[in-house]
Amino acid sequence: MTLPSARPPVPLEPLLALDARLDGVWAWVQTQMRPDAAHDDAHLLRVARWTLRCAPDVPPVLAVAAALSHDVVNLPKNHPQRAQASERSAQAVREALPGLGFTPDGVNEVALAVRDHSYSRGARPETPLGAALQDADRLDALGALGVLRVAGVGGQLGRALLDPLDPWAQAREPDDLAFTVDHFFTKLLRLDGTFLTAAGQVEARRRTRTMRAFLTELAAELEVEPPA
């Protein structure tokens, strides 16, 4: 009997075929990144696809390299240095990509995008690639995928699904360290309006509607009024 791999294969071949250097980037990321329920190989693939869509004028090799490496230093959500994860990932990019055939300018562009993509860092990207990567990463936190990812992380960290007495945090401060649903109010429903590219803005609005519809259905099943 064959046991499933801890990191099942994802269909990356079309992206890696864009440039021979991307095989090296992917192999390096595989040796360095520590995946979790929301930050795995499939997440990197989805972010790569949307980075390409959000940055049509950026060299594809740089867009994919940034997407594949943006979580190379992946710290848990409750780690005290979580806010520094993107800076540490950017430094890792600066150290690794020169040996994988990237020019100094290319390394710098990828590293800047990786540094500035993080929501917790609160930075506005300096380049079109940075804006595209940030949008692509935030899109993956929204919609049906966003619901799955927040539930996965909440379970991994041992959080309760919701506060049964006040599920929408109307009479208390939202606390997403205690309740998974509170993450909708501390972050996820605040993302729409922060997107910088035209493609990202359109898709963010669509996915945010999906998340609001989920909360409306959840309210019906809880037999309470939906969140305002």
Side-chain angles (χ1 to χ4, degrees):
M1 177 179 178
T2 302
L3 296 177
S5 170
R7 299 182 73 165
V10 294
L12 274 164
E13 290 80 6
L15 294 177
L16 299 183
L18 292 171
D19 190 286
R21 290 170 289 179
L22 293 173
D23 279 322
V25 174
W26 182 240
W28 167 65
V29 169
Q30 291 286 290
T31 66
Q32 300 297 314
M33 181 179 165
R34 299 295 178 261
D36 60 34
H39 305 85
D40 58 6
D41 296 348
H43 167 67
L44 301 182
L45 170 63
R46 294 190 298 268
V47 172
R49 288 172 172 167
W50 273 100
T51 302
L52 287 168
R53 292 169 185 164
C54 292
D57 298 326
V58 170
V61 62
L62 299 184
V64 175
L68 296 183
S69 60
H70 79 279
D71 282 334
V72 69
V73 177
N74 180 40
L75 301 177
K77 292 290 187 182
N78 58 354
H79 193 284
Q81 295 181 323
R82 172 68 184 179
Q84 286 78 52
S86 66
E87 294 181 33
R88 292 170 62 175
S89 291
Q91 182 57 39
V93 163
R94 291 190 183 279
E95 294 171 0
L97 262 59
L100 299 175
F102 287 80
T103 66
D105 286 346
V107 172
N108 187 56
E109 188 166 358
V110 171
L112 288 177
V114 169
R115 184 196 67 185
D116 292 338
H117 86 275
S118 171
Y119 179 83
S120 58
R121 188 169 185 270
R124 185 180 178 89
E126 300 177 5
T127 66
L129 175 55
L133 178 64
Q134 187 179 89
D135 278 11
D137 188 54
R138 291 184 181 188
L139 282 176
D140 213 48
L142 296 178
L145 284 166
V147 172
L148 287 174
R149 293 179 73 218
V150 71
V153 170
Q156 191 171 47
L157 297 178
R159 299 170 182 167
L161 291 176
L162 49 81
D163 180 347
L165 299 179
D166 187 5
W168 316 137
Q170 294 172 313
R172 59 179 176 82
E173 287 297 316
D175 182 5
D176 60 2
L177 295 179
F179 306 110
T180 294
V181 167
D182 283 26
H183 196 58
F184 286 81
F185 310 119
T186 60
K187 176 183 177 182
L188 301 181
L189 294 178
R190 299 180 178 185
L191 290 178
D192 190 17
T194 70
F195 287 78
L196 301 173
T197 69
Q201 290 165 359
V202 171
E203 183 67 7
R205 287 193 291 269
R206 188 187 72 80
R207 295 193 186 196
T208 300
R209 289 194 297 270
T210 297
M211 298 194 92
R212 292 188 181 277
F214 166 76
L215 291 175
T216 299
E217 174 59 24
L218 178 59
E221 295 178 15
L222 295 173
E223 300 181 343
V224 299
E225 289 295 317

